[in-house]
Amino acid sequence: MSDRLSLAAQRLNEYTVTPGVLGFIVFAVLGVAVWVLLKSMSRHLGRISVKDETKDEIEGTGEGAGEPEKAASAASGSSSA
């Protein structure tokens, strides 16, 4: 029995053990799944529409830009008067 174990240990060491065909198939399936998920995410993100007002507020150039500051200063001014 110990002869078989020593023979197996000699044949299989860290340099001769490989993932084999099953490892390649699993890796390929994972790669395809990631690719499909990325394509789906890209398609869904492309469908999102952002209103022009929101874009202007982010850039700070729209008509509504600065209104919260004006409202805050007006509210503080009316309470101190």
Side-chain angles (χ1 to χ4, degrees):
M1 178 78 170
S2 64
D3 292 335
R4 289 185 183 179
L5 290 177
S6 64
L7 182 61
Q10 288 175 356
R11 281 205 256 161
L12 298 176
N13 59 27
E14 63 183 278
Y15 299 109
T16 58
V17 177
T18 62
V21 176
L22 180 63
F24 175 75
I25 291 171
V26 169
F27 188 75
V29 167
L30 286 173
V32 169
V34 168
W35 180 74
V36 167
L37 287 172
L38 287 174
K39 293 272 292 181
S40 174
M41 183 184 67
S42 175
R43 186 173 60 242
H44 281 84
L45 287 175
R47 292 181 184 173
I48 295 175
S49 63
V50 179
K51 294 181 181 179
D52 291 335
E53 296 171 6
T54 307
K55 287 181 184 177
D56 290 340
E57 288 176 8
I58 291 172
E59 294 172 358
T61 58
E63 293 177 6
E67 286 182 4
E69 293 84 11
K70 291 178 186 176
S73 63
S76 65
S78 64
S79 64
S80 63

